[in-house]
């Protein structure tokens, strides 16, 4: 029973990762690509972490996995902000120059 | 084909592919990002080869700190204006050097008659008498402590070289932070405590499980760099304090070595009961020095021209 649930969660996570990658490849500009990556990939990561947490040997390992997911959320938020604001600033510089 | 083999084949293919894409990327920033990806995949490869300590070090230092340093270098180069490539006659040189080195490694690997079991069995037998119960830490800080002492000296030389080459004469660049951006400052506030906790945990864990001084030092350096990027200068840690931190690892190691040499007439031959405690003290000092060195490498490199 829990095997089936783990498999379903992991497959759901994989689907979200594929969707995020499709967005990365097909979306027209930086901001929409960042949007696809941060939203879809983080949900995918959350589902994969949920799948792995079901198989963890102890509550502490499961908690560490959830901590990994939270840190990935924070890191992707910071990175996408930095990338987008950097691109915005260089666009402004090109526009003025 | 077992699932493990399929995963390993996919990982190997991904390693080669990301290395090729990194080399053939059109702009240097993209090349550096793909290099970071390559570093993380290499960390996975180390895990699959059964070397979790090396995987931790590869992820923290190879992918993390080195990637950040390279991105900083790319940004500085853009500010200075344009990419300067090698002059045309010199262009084949890196390829020739890299190919000949790879060929030498492959040939010597093929010439090994049978898989060499290495020294794992010998280490396992001697582990009871060692100062740490984790094999890698025992080798690094007990059986081959002298080699680690020399490595720490090399790290100090690297930090000194950077300090002499940096255009800013004062090391207080650590205290002159960037103008804060709200989101980056928030990330620094959230992640830095977690990073410090993880670093201390890795340090304490090193005696019994994969971890240790160098990995802990890299994570602590990441915390320091994050704080600097978030606009929180590290003013208390400049000038004399920074120099003390940089020297702490080597000084502590030398002190322990001299004490043992004076005591039992053998350098770094720990006394029977105190081995574990001495190893922990030396590891803490090394971690602090490694963190200070890596943070100085990053901040000192970035402080030029700001």
């Amino acid at each position: 029973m829990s095997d089936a649930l783990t498999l379903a969660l992991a497959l759901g996570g994989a689907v979200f990762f594929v969707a995020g990658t499709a967005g990365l490849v097909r979306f027209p500009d930086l901001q929409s690509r960042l949007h696809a990556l941060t939203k879809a990939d983080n949900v995918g990561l959350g589902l994969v972490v949920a799948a792995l947490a079901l198989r963890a040997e102890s509550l502490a390992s499961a908690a560490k996995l959830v901590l990994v997911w939270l840190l990935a959320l924070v890191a992707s938020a910071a990175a996408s902000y930095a990338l987008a604001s950097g691109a915005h600033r260089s666009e402004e510089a090109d526009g003025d120059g | 084909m077992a699932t493990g083999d399929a995963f390993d084949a996919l990982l190997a293919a991904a390693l080669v592919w990301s290395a090729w894409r990194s080399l053939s990327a059109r702009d240097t920033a993209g090349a550096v990002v793909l290099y970071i990806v390559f570093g993380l995949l290499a960390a996975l490869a180390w895990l699959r080869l059964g070397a979790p300590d090396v995987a931790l070090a590869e992820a923290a230092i190879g992918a993390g700190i080195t990637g950040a340093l390279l991105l900083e270098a790319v940004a500085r180069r853009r500010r200075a204006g344009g990419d300067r490539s090698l002059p045309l006659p010199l262009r084949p040189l890196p390829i020739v050097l890299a190919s000949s080195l790879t060929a030498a490694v492959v040939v010597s690997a093929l010439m090994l008659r049978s898989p060499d079991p290495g020294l794992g069995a010998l280490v396992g037998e001697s582990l009871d008498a060692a100062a740490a119960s984790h094999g890698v830490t025992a080798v690094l800080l007990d059986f081959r402590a002298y080699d680690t002492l020399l490595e720490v000296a090399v790290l100090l030389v690297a930090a000194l070289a950077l300090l002499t080459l940096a255009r800013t004469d004062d090391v207080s660049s650590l205290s002159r932070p960037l103008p804060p951006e709200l989101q980056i400052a928030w990330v620094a506030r959230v992640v830095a405590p977690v990073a410090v906790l993880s670093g201390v945990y890795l340090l304490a864990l090193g005696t019994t499980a994969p971890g240790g001084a160098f990995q802990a030092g890299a994570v602590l350096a990441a915390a320091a760099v994050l704080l600097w990027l978030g606009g929180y200068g590290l003013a208390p840690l400049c000038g004399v304090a920074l120099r003390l931190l940089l020297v702490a690892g080597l000084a502590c190691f030398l002190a322990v070595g001299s004490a043992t040499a004076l005591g039992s007439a053998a350098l770094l031959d720990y006394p029977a009961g105190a081995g574990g405690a001495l190893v922990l003290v030396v590891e803490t000092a090394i971690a602090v020095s490694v963190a200070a060195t890596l943070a100085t490498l990053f901040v000192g490199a970035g402080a030029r021209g700001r």
Side-chain angles (χ1 to χ4, degrees):
Chain A
M1 169 58 201
S2 83
D3 275 357
L5 190 57
T6 304
L7 197 58
L9 283 172
L11 279 177
V15 164
F16 273 98
F17 272 114
V18 168
T21 312
L24 174 65
V25 169
R26 298 286 296 173
F27 279 173
D29 68 338
L30 176 71
Q31 280 82 354
S32 42
R33 284 191 209 136
L34 282 174
H35 187 78
L37 275 182
T38 48
K39 309 302 180 292
D41 276 7
N42 285 324
V43 172
L45 185 63
L47 287 174
V48 168
V49 159
L52 290 174
L54 279 178
R55 313 273 290 179
E57 331 54 81
S58 67
L59 203 56
S61 321
K64 280 186 215 169
L65 285 170
V66 173
L67 182 64
V68 165
W69 180 58
L70 291 174
L71 284 175
L73 285 181
V74 170
S76 64
S80 59
Y81 167 76
L83 280 171
S85 86
H88 184 66
R89 255 182 280 131
S90 63
E91 270 171 18
E92 278 183 346
D94 289 343
D96 294 339
Chain B
M1 201 194 255
T3 331
D5 288 340
F7 180 76
D8 288 341
L10 196 61
L11 186 58
L15 271 172
V16 173
W17 184 85
S18 63
W20 172 64
R21 291 298 299 165
S22 168
L23 288 171
S24 63
R26 260 172 305 146
D27 65 324
T28 38
V32 171
V33 170
L34 281 164
Y35 169 77
I36 297 177
V37 170
F38 174 79
L40 289 174
L41 289 173
L44 273 182
W46 286 120
L47 271 180
R48 291 296 296 163
L49 288 169
D53 302 74
V54 185
L56 276 174
E58 174 75 43
I61 303 175
I65 297 280
T66 309
L69 276 173
L70 285 173
L71 279 176
E72 183 69 36
V74 166
R76 249 190 312 121
R77 218 179 197 191
R78 284 210 184 135
R79 275 198 298 272
D83 282 313
R84 292 183 306 262
S85 315
L86 281 177
L88 201 50
L90 280 183
R91 291 240 183 111
L93 193 59
I95 300 178
V96 167
L97 283 173
S99 322
S100 42
L101 194 60
T102 311
V105 169
V106 169
V107 163
S108 37
L110 288 175
M111 269 174 17
L112 284 175
R113 291 307 163 94
S114 56
D116 193 336
L119 294 168
L122 190 60
V123 168
E125 288 163 26
S126 323
L127 210 48
D128 291 326
S133 51
H134 180 53
V136 174
T137 311
V139 169
L140 273 182
L141 283 158
D142 192 0
F143 302 147
R144 307 292 310 188
Y146 183 59
D147 297 339
T148 311
L149 173 66
L150 295 178
E151 282 169 18
V152 175
V154 167
L155 276 178
L156 179 61
V157 169
L160 288 176
L162 178 88
L163 288 180
T164 51
L165 284 176
R167 224 166 278 161
T168 55
D169 274 330
D170 59 327
V171 174
S172 62
S173 55
L174 272 180
S175 78
R176 245 185 285 122
L178 303 174
E181 295 188 56
L182 281 178
Q183 274 82 348
I184 310 295
W186 173 79
V187 169
R189 275 204 308 274
V190 166
V191 176
V194 178
V196 169
L197 195 61
S198 311
V200 173
Y201 176 64
L202 277 173
L203 181 62
L205 200 60
T207 43
T208 51
F214 295 94
Q215 293 86 343
V219 174
L220 290 173
V225 165
L226 264 179
L227 286 174
W228 185 76
L229 285 174
Y232 300 101
L234 301 170
L237 298 174
C238 298
V240 173
L242 180 66
R243 287 166 173 87
L244 282 178
L245 284 178
L246 287 174
V247 175
L250 185 62
C252 181
F253 220 150
L254 280 176
V256 168
S258 324
T260 51
L262 291 172
S264 60
L267 182 68
L268 290 169
D269 181 16
Y270 302 124
L278 281 175
V279 160
L280 196 56
V281 166
V282 169
E283 279 210 298
T284 310
I286 293 177
V288 163
S289 275
V290 166
T293 306
L294 290 173
T296 313
L297 279 175
F298 185 88
V299 171
R304 286 198 244 171
R306 269 200 207 281

